[in-house]
């Protein structure tokens, strides 16, 4: 776009240059001083514009560099988070396996390690499938205890060549003879999941009505019945209703039991195949 101010400045510069060319040498210094006085503000403004423009361009470049560095940092952060999650999973698994190894070495039983490979979502609390069968170990059979370092999990059911069905402790078909740790009250622990709509817990039944037991007492197997050996941890008493006409009438009393094994998160287990 044509601007008169630029045209006038250009004409003035041209005239000064022509006049300065034809003037004697003694006047050229005066002409240069006049030119400096006239155009100094203009040159200063032009310099300021160039400097400002250069800073803006530099700022734009810096912003692009920051965005690039930010993207790189996000990638590195995602990679480190993935590595942390993997390392954390390995540490948890290592701790779990060390716990199982210590448990196996401390018990007087022959323990066959196995891993849970399948669980029916529609029948979550009844059974799991483990990766051991009679082809893996000739001593695997039905009605053998299945345990974890935290306590009894259940017992073996149907045994296949390479897999075995494990009936969980909270299934109503799993019954264990037990004794409480302090009061030495004896009874039968039986799963009660189906009665309670799927919540995992057991009941202790057939306890002599004259034998007290309290909430928090631990329960251990008695060894009676032929399936579970003695001194395996079952769980703790979570409810011990008092004797009354409405409840615990007759010769026996009962209570509620919470298994100590985490039946919701079963991974590695042991099948008790005999005594060392």
């Amino acid at each position: 776009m044509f601007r008169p101010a630029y045209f006038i400045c250009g004409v003035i510069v041209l005239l000064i240059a022509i006049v300065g060319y034809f003037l004697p040498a003694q006047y050229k210094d005066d002409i240069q001083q006049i030119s400096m006085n006239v155009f100094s503000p203009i040159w200063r403004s032009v310099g300021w514009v160039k400097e400002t423009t250069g800073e803006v361009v530099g700022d734009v470049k810096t912003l692009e560099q920051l965005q690039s560095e930010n993207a790189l940092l996000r990638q590195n952060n995602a990679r480190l988070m993935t590595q942390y999650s993997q390392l954390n999973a390995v540490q948890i698994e290592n701790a779990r396996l060390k716990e199982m190894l210590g448990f196996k070495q401390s018990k007087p039983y022959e323990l066959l390690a196995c891993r849970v490979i399948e669980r029916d979502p529609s029948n979550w609390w009844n059974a799991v499938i483990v990766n051991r069968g009679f082809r893996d170990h000739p001593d695997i059979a039905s009605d053998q205890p299945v345990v974890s370092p935290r306590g009894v999990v259940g017992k073996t059911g149907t045994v296949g060549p390479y897999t075995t069905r494990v009936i969980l402790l909270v299934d109503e078909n799993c019954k264990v003879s037990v004794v409480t740790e302090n009061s030495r009250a004896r009874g039968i622990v039986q799963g009660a999941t189906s009665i309670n709509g799927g919540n995992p817990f057991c009941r202790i039944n057939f306890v002599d009505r004259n034998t007290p037991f309290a909430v928090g007492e631990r329960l251990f197997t008695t060894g009676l019945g032929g399936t579970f050996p003695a001194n395996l941890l079952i769980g703790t008493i979570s409810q011990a209703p008092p004797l009354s006409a409405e409840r615990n009438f007759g010769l026996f009393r009962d209570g509620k039991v919470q298994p100590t094994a985490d039946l919701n998160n079963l991974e590695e287990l042991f099948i008790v195949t005999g005594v060392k």
Side-chain angles (χ1 to χ4, degrees):
M1 179 183 294
F2 175 75
R3 297 189 178 183
Y6 295 160
F7 177 75
I8 294 172
C9 290
V11 171
I12 294 174
V13 171
L14 181 59
L15 291 176
I16 292 176
I18 294 172
V19 171
Y21 179 78
F22 290 104
L23 283 176
Q26 63 269 25
Y27 297 108
K28 288 184 178 181
D29 293 337
D30 296 333
I31 295 298
Q32 289 178 356
Q33 184 63 48
I34 294 172
S35 299
M36 180 65 68
N37 294 337
V38 172
F39 293 105
S40 179
I42 298 175
W43 290 335
R44 182 174 181 178
S45 299
V46 171
W48 177 82
V49 171
K50 289 182 178 180
E51 183 179 355
T52 304
T53 305
E55 290 179 355
V56 171
V57 172
D59 291 342
V60 171
K61 291 182 179 179
T62 303
L63 179 59
E64 291 177 351
Q65 292 173 354
L66 289 175
Q67 290 175 341
S68 177
E69 292 175 359
N70 190 32
L72 182 60
L73 289 175
R74 286 199 298 267
Q75 293 176 359
N76 291 336
N77 183 57
R79 178 175 54 82
L80 291 174
M81 289 298 294
T82 301
Q83 292 177 350
Y84 172 78
S85 299
Q86 293 173 345
L87 178 61
N88 189 49
V90 170
Q91 289 176 336
I92 293 174
E93 183 179 17
N94 184 52
R96 188 172 67 247
L97 294 178
K98 287 178 65 177
E99 182 184 29
M100 291 192 67
L101 180 61
F103 176 81
K104 183 177 182 179
Q105 293 174 342
S106 66
K107 297 300 179 182
Y109 314 116
E110 293 290 346
L111 300 176
L112 177 65
C114 58
R115 181 184 293 271
V116 175
I117 59 173
E118 187 175 348
R119 192 164 193 165
D120 186 357
S122 63
N123 205 15
W124 189 263
W125 299 113
N126 288 70
V128 296
I129 304 297
V130 297
N131 64 339
R132 295 290 187 179
F134 59 78
R135 292 284 180 87
D136 300 303
H137 198 289
D139 293 333
I140 295 181
S142 298
D143 290 331
Q144 289 179 324
V146 179
V147 299
S148 75
R150 307 299 173 86
V152 172
V153 171
K155 64 179 182 178
T156 57
T158 305
V159 180
Y162 304 105
T163 58
T164 297
R165 186 173 185 266
V166 176
I167 302 172
L168 297 181
L169 187 64
V170 291
D171 186 275
E172 60 182 356
N173 295 313
C174 190
K175 300 178 182 179
V176 189
S177 174
V178 297
V179 61
T180 58
E181 184 176 26
N182 299 324
S183 60
R184 310 306 293 174
R186 292 176 177 267
I188 301 295
V189 163
Q190 181 178 8
T193 298
S194 61
I195 300 175
N196 196 54
N199 293 326
F201 76 95
C202 303
R203 301 208 69 85
I204 179 170
N205 302 311
F206 305 110
V207 181
D208 187 288
R209 64 178 289 108
N210 296 318
T211 305
F213 57 89
V215 172
E217 279 196 78
R218 296 194 299 173
L219 292 165
F220 293 88
T221 56
T222 63
L224 302 177
T227 299
F228 293 86
N231 300 320
L232 292 176
L233 178 61
I234 291 288
T236 58
I237 300 291
S238 58
Q239 286 184 11
L243 293 172
S244 65
E246 295 79 15
R247 188 177 181 86
N248 294 319
F249 56 88
L251 300 176
F252 304 104
R253 61 185 304 183
D254 62 11
K256 188 175 178 181
V257 177
Q258 182 64 44
T260 50
D262 187 0
L263 301 182
N264 192 43
N265 295 293
L266 298 175
E267 296 184 69
E268 294 88 12
L269 306 173
F270 287 114
I271 300 174
V272 181
T273 58
V275 179
K276 291 181 181 178

